[in-house]
Amino acid sequence: MNLTPMAEILNKANKENYAVGGFNINNLEFLQGIIEAAEESRAPLILQTSEGAMRYIGKDYVVGMVEAATKNASIPVALHLDHGSGFEKAMECIRLGYSSVMIDASHDPFEENIAQSAKVVEAAHSVGVSVEAELGQLGGTEDDVTVDEADATYTRPDEAVEFVARTGVDALAIAIGTAHGVYSGEPELDFERLEEINEKTDIPLVLHGASGVSDDDVRRAVQNGINKVNVNTDFQQAFTDRVKKIFAEDPEIYDPRKYCGPGREAIKERVKEKIEILGSKNKA
Ligand code: 13P
C-alpha cells in the first residue's frame, strides 16, 4: 500500500500548527468520500478503522480497498488502527500493512497502560510503524469501547509527561471533556488542561470524539496543540441523513446506488468542511 507513517504526517502538523483528520471508514462509500475530499483539498489524511469496522468490512477487504484508494494518491495517507485492544491486534494490523496503530489501554491502571503501550511502541517502531496511545478516558461509545460518563477521567498533565517519556509514543490521545458518539448536552472542553498538557509535552496530541463539538471549539483545540482530530459519528450522520431524505422523497427507491451514491457525496462535503476547520487544506 502507498502509505505514510502517521508520525511523519503529524510531526509536520505539529510544527506548522494545524490538525489532520483521523477519519473512520465504515464501508466503501466512506473510504471513497473521504479520500476524494482529501485529494481535492490537498490535505494529508489519516484513514482509520475501529476493530468493529474491521469485522464489518473484513480485514482483507479493508486492505484491498485502501490499496486501490491510495494507489494513485497525491497526498500523504496513513492507515491507522483506532482503539486497538491489545498487543496482538496491533501486530495483526502491522502484518496487514497498516502504517500506524493505536493501543488503547486507557481503562487500565497507569503503570499497566504504560507497560502495554511501551511494548507496542517497541515492536511497531522496529518496522517503521507509528503508535498512538491514550491517557485518561472519554465517555460514550466507539464501537467496542463503551465508557460510562461517571467513569470518564480527564488526563492529568504531569502523568502525560511521564507517560510520553516512558512509552515513546508518537501521538497521545487525551481526555479533556469530549465523548464518543452523540452528545446529550453541549460538550465543555477543558482548554486550560489542554494548554498545560501541550506546554509540558512536545508530541502531537489527539482529540477523540470530535463529532458534535462546535467548529469554534475544534479550532481553539487545534490552536492549543491538538494535531489529530478523530471524526466518525458526524460522517455517519451525514450519510444517513442524506439517505433518509432520499427515501422520504421516493419511498419506492430500490437501487442502492441511487441512495448510497448521494450518501457518499454527503460524506465528501462534510469531510471538506472539517478539513477547512482543522487547517490541513493545502498542507499535503
Ligand atoms: P466520534 O464518533 O464521536 O466522532 O468519535 C470518533 C473517534 O474518536 C474515533 O476514535
Side-chain angles (χ1 to χ4, degrees), residues 24-28 30-31 48 53 56-57 65 143 232 236:
N24 288 68
I25 56 174
N26 295 250
N27 60 19
L28 176 64
F30 273 72
L31 174 60
Q48 51 191 29
Y56 175 78
I57 302 170
M65 289 194 318
D143 272 356
N232 186 21
Q236 292 179 328

Side-chain angles (χ1 to χ4, degrees), residues 214-254:
S214 73
D215 295 349
D216 281 348
D217 276 0
V218 172
R219 277 192 203 96
R220 196 170 157 198
V222 174
Q223 278 158 11
N224 285 294
I226 292 290
N227 296 124
K228 175 175 182 263
V229 172
N230 284 9
V231 184
N232 186 21
T233 304
D234 209 329
F235 303 148
Q236 292 179 328
Q237 287 171 326
F239 180 90
T240 305
D241 288 349
R242 186 69 57 91
V243 172
K244 281 183 187 163
K245 189 163 169 272
I246 290 170
F247 271 93
E249 284 163 8
D250 181 3
E252 305 303 322
I253 198 162
Y254 62 89

Side-chain angles (χ1 to χ4, degrees), residues 22-24 48 50 80 82-83 102 132 134 138-139 141-143 178-183 206-213 228-236 274:
F23 297 150
N24 288 68
Q48 51 191 29
S50 64
H80 173 74
D82 189 26
H83 292 287
M102 178 181 185
E132 173 185 337
E134 179 164 329
L138 269 72
T141 297
E142 176 70 27
D143 272 356
T178 55
H180 289 119
V182 178
Y183 289 92
V206 184
L207 186 70
H208 281 242
S211 300
V213 177
K228 175 175 182 263
V229 172
N230 284 9
V231 184
N232 186 21
T233 304
D234 209 329
F235 303 148
Q236 292 179 328
K274 286 283 178 201

